[in-house]
């Protein structure tokens, strides 16, 4: 199995077009939202546990897409230049504030070292799993299900995904969303973190414990907590393989959705 996952029967594409299952937090009938029809913590919890771009798109369709469309239309009408990072807040401030929840800056502080304070995994991960991994490719779905198209047709750098695994078994999954997604002048790094549980030779589970979405929104830096009473992380079980500097994760269910990560040099915590 461990070498079989990287065989030719899996087709990888840089477009990251695989449609992954929508996290349970976004499917809940009890939506923990203070204002309907805006981008809020429910969306970011959903994004935090996505791996591929199609999954992120599904998360942003939950009320958020129309709000972002209104904001982008406002900045286009205002003629905001791409390099003008303050134009959106200056000319479309009210539209921007109505597009995101919560509107005022959050009092929560950014957690600079997410792994601090977490208990160690019962069994430390194998050394070959430890490090920083950047998503490079995802498997193509076998059939087109007729669902909605990607929000953006082409892959974008602001859908960058990284998975960092520490020697003590902590993981941090980061998803970068920039102004191409969130509207001009806005950006968030959505992070989920928790413990890696390795079972057997080729199986692991990512058990998410907490998360934050951090970045400039509507002219102010936001720190949005992702652990609230009605927001539930789903985690994920995978079969894994490391070969030739690449990590392959295959969802451990009937779908066998498969993702490939390249090993990256360590980098400072993104803010």
């Amino acid at each position: 199995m461990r070498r079989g996952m990287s065989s030719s029967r899996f087709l990888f594409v840089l477009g990251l077009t695989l449609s992954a299952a929508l996290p349970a937090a976004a499917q809940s009938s009890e939506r923990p939202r203070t204002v309907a029809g805006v981008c809020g913590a429910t969306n970011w919890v959903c994004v935090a546990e996505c791996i591929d771009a199609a999954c992120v798109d599904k998360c942003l369709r939950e009320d958020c897409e129309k709000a972002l469309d209104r904001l982008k239309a406002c900045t286009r009408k205002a003629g905001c230049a791409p390099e003008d990072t303050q134009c959106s807040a200056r000319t479309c401030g009210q539209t921007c504030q109505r597009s995101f929840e919560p509107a005022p800056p959050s009092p929560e502080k950014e957690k600079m070292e997410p792994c601090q304070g977490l208990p160690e995994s019962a069994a430390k991960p194998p050394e070959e799993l430890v490090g920083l991994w950047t998503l490079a490719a995802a498997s193509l779905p076998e059939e087109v299900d007729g669902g909605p198209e990607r929000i953006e047709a082409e892959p974008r750098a602001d859908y960058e995904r990284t998975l960092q695994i520490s020697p003590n078994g902590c993981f941090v999954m980061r998803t970068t969303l920039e102004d191409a997604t969130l509207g001009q002048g806005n950006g968030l790094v959505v992070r989920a973190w928790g413990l890696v549980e390795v079972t057997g030779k080729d199986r692991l589970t990512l058990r998410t414990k907490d998360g934050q979405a951090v970045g400039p929104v509507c002219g102010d830096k936001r720190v949005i907590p992702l652990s609230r009473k009605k927001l539930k992380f789903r985690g994920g079980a995978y079969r894994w393989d490391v070969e030739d500097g690449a990590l392959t994760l295959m969802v451990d269910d009937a779908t066998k959705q498969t993702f490939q990560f390249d090993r990256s040099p360590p980098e400072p915590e993104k803010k």
Side-chain angles (χ1 to χ4, degrees):
M1 167 58 201
R2 289 172 62 77
R3 292 191 174 273
M5 282 202 297
S6 55
S7 67
S8 59
R9 65 192 180 94
F10 290 107
L11 176 62
F12 286 100
V13 291
L14 292 178
L16 307 179
T17 54
L18 176 65
S19 177
L22 185 63
Q27 298 173 348
S28 172
S29 59
E30 294 186 57
R31 302 186 62 76
R33 193 184 297 288
T34 57
V35 181
V38 299
C39 300
T42 302
N43 302 99
W44 313 135
V45 168
C46 181
V47 168
E49 295 192 298
C50 281
I51 294 182
D52 66 296
C55 177
V56 174
D57 284 338
K58 288 181 179 180
C59 296
L60 296 183
R61 284 194 178 94
E62 296 294 322
D63 292 337
C64 186
E65 185 178 11
K66 291 181 179 179
L68 293 178
D69 285 345
R70 288 192 295 269
L71 178 57
K72 291 175 184 178
C74 181
T75 56
R76 284 195 300 267
K77 184 177 180 180
C80 290
E83 66 276 7
D84 187 349
T85 59
Q86 295 300 313
C87 181
S88 176
R90 185 175 64 250
T91 63
C92 300
Q94 290 186 351
T95 302
C96 189
Q97 292 288 346
R98 289 195 298 266
S99 299
F100 294 93
E101 177 252 335
S106 168
E108 179 160 320
K109 293 183 178 180
E110 180 179 0
K111 194 172 181 64
M112 303 303 295
E113 299 292 339
C115 290
Q116 286 186 355
L118 285 181
E120 292 190 4
S121 294
K124 293 184 178 181
E127 186 176 348
E128 57 188 325
L129 270 177
V130 174
L132 178 65
W133 304 92
T134 299
L135 185 66
S139 62
L140 283 170
E142 294 184 2
E143 298 180 1
V144 178
D145 61 6
E149 297 180 357
R150 292 276 311 278
I151 291 177
E152 300 286 348
E154 299 299 326
R156 302 191 309 274
D158 66 323
Y159 272 11
E160 178 186 0
R161 219 68 33 78
T162 63
L163 172 64
Q164 188 165 13
I165 299 177
S166 66
N168 66 356
C170 173
F171 78 88
V172 182
M173 181 85 77
R174 294 180 180 86
T175 302
T176 302
L177 301 177
E178 296 179 352
D179 55 7
T181 302
L182 301 181
Q184 190 166 339
N186 300 318
L188 288 172
V189 176
V190 183
R191 301 177 300 159
W193 58 81
L195 299 178
V196 181
E197 293 184 3
V198 179
T199 56
K201 293 182 178 180
D202 63 357
R203 285 177 167 82
L204 65 81
T205 301
L206 301 179
R207 298 201 181 279
T208 309
K209 301 295 185 181
D210 204 347
Q212 288 181 330
V214 180
V217 177
C218 304
D220 294 308
K221 182 177 179 179
R222 302 288 177 84
V223 180
I224 303 169
L226 302 186
S227 55
R228 298 181 183 177
K229 184 177 180 180
K230 294 183 180 180
L231 295 176
K232 303 298 183 183
F233 292 106
R234 65 188 175 104
Y238 304 90
R239 303 186 76 169
W240 68 274
D241 175 49
V242 175
E243 185 177 3
D244 297 329
L247 167 64
T248 301
L249 293 182
M250 183 176 72
V251 181
D252 197 11
D253 63 13
T255 68
K256 300 190 187 307
Q257 298 164 358
T258 309
F259 310 98
Q260 183 172 297
F261 295 78
D262 290 338
R263 188 181 290 278
S264 302
E267 63 180 21
E269 176 79 7
K270 293 183 179 180
K271 298 181 180 181

